Amino acid sequence: MGPAAALSCRECGHRTPLGPVFACAECFGPLEVAYELPAGDPEALRERIAAGPDNIWRYAPLLPVPADVAEKPNLNPGFTKLIKADRLARELGVTGGLHVKDDSGNPTHSFKDRVVAIAVEAARAFGFTTLSCSSTGNLAGAVGAAAARSGFRSCVFIPHDLEAGKVVMAAVYGGDLVGIEGTYDDVNRFCSELIGDPIGEGWGFVNVNLRPYYGEGSKTLAYEICEQLGWRLPDNLVVPIASGSQLTKIDKGLKELIALGLVEEKPYKIFGAQAEGCSPVSRAFKDGHDVVRPVKPDTIAKSLAIGNPADGPYVLDIARRTGGAVEDVNDEQIVDAIKLLARTEGVFAETAGGVTVGVLKKLIETGQLDPSGETVVLNTGDGLKTLDAVAPTTGPSATIRPTLASFREAGLA
Amino acid sequence: MGPAAALSCRECGHRTPLGPVFACAECFGPLEVAYELPAGDPEALRERIAAGPDNIWRYAPLLPVPADVAEKPNLNPGFTKLIKADRLARELGVTGGLHVKDDSGNPTHSFKDRVVAIAVEAARAFGFTTLSCSSTGNLAGAVGAAAARSGFRSCVFIPHDLEAGKVVMAAVYGGDLVGIEGTYDDVNRFCSELIGDPIGEGWGFVNVNLRPYYGEGSKTLAYEICEQLGWRLPDNLVVPIASGSQLTKIDKGLKELIALGLVEEKPYKIFGAQAEGCSPVSRAFKDGHDVVRPVKPDTIAKSLAIGNPADGPYVLDIARRTGGAVEDVNDEQIVDAIKLLARTEGVFAETAGGVTVGVLKKLIETGQLDPSGETVVLNTGDGLKTLDAVAPTTGPSATIRPTLASFREAGLA
């Protein structure tokens, strides 16, 4: 597993050998990967990375994967576009440079391909033969696709009443897709039972028993942003919050780059973005609390609708430590932000992208984010997956007869 | 416009200065871009290309665009993945190496981004301020997105009764979208009228008055395939046929690479792929005719449903000259091929990708394509855009109660 040395508990620091475990034996805290990162000349490491493939495996020296990972069959996500968003910057009043990190360019069009790719390599290392997860959307397709290409069997669990389109996206890769009569919570409880049962032997649940490895995939967003800026830290990052894992791993990635000398150390601020209809972390931030009180989600941003975000407290720490903030926007603002990004930069974002762009706008308007700083906003998914969010307010400017007179009457000439 | 020297008629060879014209003044034949391509050391040119950006602008020295094109706002499509498809190769019996060129990775998830990107730069060069097209799908979104990012107004024309999802994808970028009461043919006739009218002054119709430039975007598929193979020609290419333009431009691109010494000359075969429900070129190929008799399309592969393909005769020439063929598959075979590609390589293709993979299978089974040759098959679009094609036959393996007993009963353990 390359530079990965052990798993270490984020709460008590207790170290455990690398394996398919996710909770600390001492305190039940979450485990994460601890590294022995390459020492030496940063310039040589930068060159080694630049000579690597155009995907996340260019950062293999910083990930829990073998050095020859790029030779194995995998979807090879990452190195998505960092789009210089000058037109959006003008509309928002950002003067220090604005970039959109657009993860809709990944193989199944969401950032989930990054985390699943690392989980696949961990499953290979542990000798698992079946890849699994519980999911309500993006993750099911990402696991199905990655398993297909990597030669794993897959068996993915979803609530039985998922929208037809999402079922097709999850089932088309030919693995087993199992509808569970119950809620998403029921699906999760069932999966936990399955992991403890002999049936589950040889099964890697990407976001449960492979979670410490899976989570590391999000670090690559930090690496790519800094490399694509010319090995430089931005001043501000706006990151969506579902479980909060992505935001904490981006912070971890930035700190690693500083420690390795790959970027020059300077202050950076991380801002978390939630939908108002599922904003427990934003609420706690505004109230000055350290504890995140669970909520029942009700928002169009379904990929962020985790009412009890496991990494919420860590997100609060990071936002406060870096001088950032956590903010939320309502469904109407999400839709407006999706359209704003589309009409200024030609990027059609999933609702989660509407949340980050909408929150960026609100942070500037409320003086919480300094628009003279260099800013990066994340789009983690594709608008094609959440067409319903914009459909009611998106249609033709006019419908006309096929004549010039009719076109003139429409007032668009 | 960089190395572009003039427009030349594909029928009579008459040359015309570069401009927004598409038909030869002498014989009404189609115009294409003629170049003065860079002479000199191929190795130096290969290095110059490799040092360029990770998109089609790395080939700016071979395209009708200025040298500083990468500095201008554009969606910057291209350099999509060439996927080594070992699992698909095993299923199909390809022993000489099989690759999928996956253009679903483009910004709006189809190859149309390539052709539109060149049309945008031509529109800039000619001082146009509005980008337009007639479309029934992929092209409308590609033009809307490119115009938004590049700072053009857009006004796109569609049949008024398009599916709701396609309307959203076309309208979300905020340009004008106009529904025309009539068929796609009525939309096209209206657009021709508009070009001739004073209203249409300053309008660039990407696939009409900008068509000679637009078409050149498809050459970049040939460049990328060869560069990604290590500057080598493949033995076999399987390319979809709509108007036939893409196939003819890929052949043009390959011939340019040979002429420039960027690849070593050797025989290559180009195979055209159609849907049985719209197979006029395949029919003419099989009948040994030079003339393509128009048909009324009836197929799920709507992005290929052009019943009277303008470049059909050129496609026949190329398939015959290179020793390739033109073949077709029916709707059931298209759906089977979409699923085959998804379950072997984790790539979810649009119906057009089902056509090419299905035709590849048929070509091998009928002995028309030698599976010991190195083969590249194109996927030109994304399965998310044609979910309806696979939805009726794609669903959960089982629906169960959230208990281990219920899971065991389902027989998937």
Side-chain angles (χ1 to χ4, degrees):
Chain A
M1 304 191 102
L7 295 177
S8 96
C9 176
R10 244 189 313 180
E11 287 299 324
C12 74
H14 179 75
R15 280 167 84 99
T16 310
L18 293 166
V21 288
F22 55 103
C24 175
E26 298 290 317
C27 77
F28 298 106
L31 296 175
E32 65 177 359
V33 178
Y35 295 91
E36 279 164 20
L37 289 178
D41 177 22
E43 192 49 41
L45 182 53
R46 277 193 286 258
E47 277 171 24
R48 181 174 161 197
I49 290 168
D54 291 338
N55 55 53
I56 59 171
W57 305 134
R58 65 201 282 116
Y59 307 109
L62 313 180
L63 295 171
V65 295
D68 67 344
V69 63
E71 308 304 316
K72 298 169 194 285
N74 195 303
L75 286 182
N76 303 334
F79 222 56
T80 55
K81 288 183 194 294
L82 183 73
I83 298 170
K84 187 138 198 320
D86 292 344
R87 286 165 52 83
L88 179 61
R90 275 198 294 278
E91 295 242 5
L92 296 181
V94 176
T95 56
L98 176 62
H99 294 82
V100 178
K101 180 61 177 171
D102 184 16
D103 250 17
S104 68
N106 275 319
T108 73
H109 307 316
S110 90
F111 95 99
K112 292 288 185 191
D113 291 324
R114 296 178 185 271
V115 288
V116 170
I118 310 272
V120 163
E121 297 309 323
R124 235 193 278 273
F126 299 137
F128 289 148
T129 50
T130 297
L131 281 184
S132 186
C133 69
S134 55
S135 171
T136 63
N138 283 333
L139 186 58
V143 168
R149 170 140 176 94
S150 310
F152 286 82
R153 181 203 172 205
S154 69
C155 188
V156 167
F157 299 94
I158 56 171
H160 71 114
D161 54 357
L162 224 55
E163 302 95 305
K166 288 195 177 162
V167 172
V168 173
M169 288 182 222
V172 74
Y173 302 101
D176 283 317
L177 180 73
V178 179
I180 299 273
E181 291 169 359
T183 65
Y184 181 59
D185 285 338
D186 294 322
V187 179
N188 273 323
R189 265 193 298 274
F190 170 75
C191 287
S192 302
E193 230 186 311
L194 197 51
I195 290 175
D197 190 88
I199 298 176
E201 266 172 41
W203 287 47
F205 284 79
V206 299
N207 54 350
V208 187
N209 57 355
L210 297 175
R211 188 168 188 87
Y213 311 95
Y214 169 91
E216 295 296 286
S218 290
K219 289 196 312 180
T220 58
L221 279 163
Y223 302 156
E224 291 180 16
I225 289 167
C226 290
E227 182 180 359
Q228 290 171 320
L229 287 176
W231 293 111
R232 198 174 69 233
L233 289 165
D235 297 310
N236 307 307
L237 287 115
V238 184
V239 182
I241 301 173
S243 73
S245 167
Q246 184 182 69
L247 188 148
T248 65
K249 297 299 180 179
I250 286 175
D251 182 57
K252 188 183 183 192
L254 297 176
K255 288 196 285 192
E256 287 173 356
L257 295 183
I258 293 168
L260 289 164
L262 290 174
V263 297
E264 200 175 322
E265 182 160 17
K266 75 171 186 71
Y268 60 84
K269 297 182 179 184
I270 299 189
F271 298 83
Q274 294 206 295
E276 188 181 293
C278 182
S279 52
V281 189
S282 170
R283 175 55 35 218
F285 181 84
K286 290 174 185 178
D287 291 348
H289 292 163
D290 293 333
V291 175
V292 174
R293 194 177 303 175
V295 300
K296 192 163 176 293
D298 178 20
T299 169
I300 57 169
K302 293 194 197 304
S303 63
L304 303 182
I306 297 185
N308 188 13
D311 284 8
Y314 303 114
V315 168
L316 290 170
D317 284 350
I318 291 165
R320 288 175 180 143
R321 191 195 76 226
T322 65
V326 185
E327 190 49 275
D328 56 86
V329 283
N330 65 32
D331 284 358
E332 195 183 331
Q333 292 167 317
I334 294 169
V335 171
D336 286 349
I338 290 173
K339 292 183 182 179
L340 173 63
L341 179 60
R343 78 175 158 78
T344 51
E345 301 298 339
V347 173
F348 182 21
E350 205 213 51
T351 43
V355 169
T356 49
V357 171
V359 161
L360 169 60
K361 183 165 185 280
K362 190 168 175 181
L363 288 167
I364 293 168
E365 285 168 357
T366 55
Q368 298 178 83
L369 184 147
D370 176 3
S372 72
E374 185 167 52
T375 300
V376 176
V377 59
L378 266 65
N379 172 39
T380 52
D382 202 293
L384 291 183
K385 296 190 176 193
T386 55
L387 284 177
D388 289 349
V390 293
T393 58
T394 305
S397 320
T399 301
I400 64 168
R401 294 183 306 284
T403 67
L404 293 174
S406 181
F407 185 55
R408 270 190 214 97
E409 271 165 38
L412 301 170
Chain B
M1 303 192 103
L7 295 176
S8 97
C9 176
R10 243 190 314 179
E11 288 298 324
C12 74
H14 179 74
R15 279 167 85 98
T16 310
L18 293 166
V21 288
F22 55 102
C24 175
E26 298 289 317
C27 76
F28 298 105
L31 296 176
E32 65 176 0
V33 178
Y35 294 90
E36 277 164 19
L37 289 179
D41 178 22
E43 192 49 41
L45 182 52
R46 278 193 286 257
E47 277 171 24
R48 181 174 161 195
I49 290 169
D54 291 337
N55 56 53
I56 59 170
W57 305 134
R58 65 200 283 113
Y59 307 108
L62 312 180
L63 295 170
V65 295
D68 67 345
V69 63
E71 308 305 314
K72 297 168 194 287
N74 195 303
L75 287 181
N76 302 335
F79 221 57
T80 56
K81 288 182 194 293
L82 184 73
I83 298 170
K84 186 137 198 324
D86 292 342
R87 287 165 52 83
L88 179 62
R90 276 197 294 277
E91 295 243 3
L92 296 181
V94 175
T95 55
L98 177 61
H99 294 82
V100 177
K101 180 61 177 172
D102 185 15
D103 250 16
S104 68
N106 275 318
T108 74
H109 307 316
S110 91
F111 95 98
K112 291 289 186 191
D113 290 324
R114 297 179 184 271
V115 288
V116 170
I118 311 272
V120 163
E121 297 309 323
R124 235 192 278 273
F126 299 137
F128 290 148
T129 51
T130 297
L131 281 183
S132 186
C133 69
S134 56
S135 171
T136 63
N138 284 332
L139 186 58
V143 167
R149 172 142 175 91
S150 310
F152 287 81
R153 179 200 173 207
S154 69
C155 187
V156 167
F157 299 94
I158 57 172
H160 71 115
D161 54 357
L162 224 55
E163 302 95 304
K166 287 194 177 162
V167 172
V168 172
M169 289 182 223
V172 75
Y173 301 101
D176 283 316
L177 180 73
V178 178
I180 299 274
E181 291 169 359
T183 66
Y184 182 59
D185 285 339
D186 293 322
V187 180
N188 272 323
R189 265 192 298 273
F190 170 74
C191 287
S192 302
E193 231 186 310
L194 197 51
I195 291 176
D197 190 87
I199 298 175
E201 266 172 40
W203 287 47
F205 285 78
V206 299
N207 54 350
V208 187
N209 56 355
L210 298 175
R211 189 169 186 87
Y213 310 95
Y214 169 91
E216 295 297 286
S218 290
K219 290 195 313 181
T220 59
L221 280 163
Y223 301 156
E224 291 180 16
I225 289 167
C226 291
E227 181 180 359
Q228 290 171 321
L229 287 175
W231 291 111
R232 198 174 69 233
L233 290 165
D235 296 311
N236 306 308
L237 288 115
V238 183
V239 181
I241 302 172
S243 73
S245 166
Q246 184 182 67
L247 188 148
T248 64
K249 296 299 180 180
I250 286 176
D251 181 58
K252 187 182 183 191
L254 297 176
K255 288 196 283 191
E256 287 173 356
L257 294 183
I258 293 168
L260 289 163
L262 290 174
V263 296
E264 200 175 323
E265 182 160 17
K266 73 172 188 69
Y268 60 85
K269 297 181 178 184
I270 299 188
F271 297 84
Q274 294 206 294
E276 188 181 293
C278 182
S279 51
V281 188
S282 171
R283 175 56 34 221
F285 181 85
K286 290 173 183 177
D287 291 347
H289 293 165
D290 293 333
V291 175
V292 173
R293 193 178 303 175
V295 301
K296 192 163 173 294
D298 177 18
T299 168
I300 57 170
K302 294 195 197 303
S303 63
L304 304 183
I306 298 184
N308 188 13
D311 284 7
Y314 302 115
V315 168
L316 291 170
D317 284 350
I318 291 166
R320 288 174 180 144
R321 190 195 77 224
T322 65
V326 186
E327 190 49 275
D328 56 85
V329 283
N330 65 33
D331 285 357
E332 194 183 331
Q333 292 168 318
I334 294 169
V335 171
D336 286 348
I338 291 174
K339 293 183 182 180
L340 173 64
L341 179 61
R343 78 174 158 77
T344 52
E345 302 298 340
V347 173
F348 183 22
E350 205 213 51
T351 43
V355 170
T356 49
V357 171
V359 160
L360 169 60
K361 184 166 186 279
K362 190 168 175 182
L363 288 167
I364 293 169
E365 287 168 356
T366 54
Q368 297 178 84
L369 184 147
D370 176 4
S372 71
E374 185 167 52
T375 300
V376 176
V377 60
L378 265 63
N379 172 38
T380 51
D382 201 292
L384 290 182
K385 295 190 177 193
T386 55
L387 284 176
D388 289 349
V390 293
T393 58
T394 305
S397 321
T399 301
I400 64 168
R401 294 183 306 284
T403 67
L404 293 173
S406 181
F407 184 55
R408 271 192 213 96
E409 271 166 38
L412 301 171

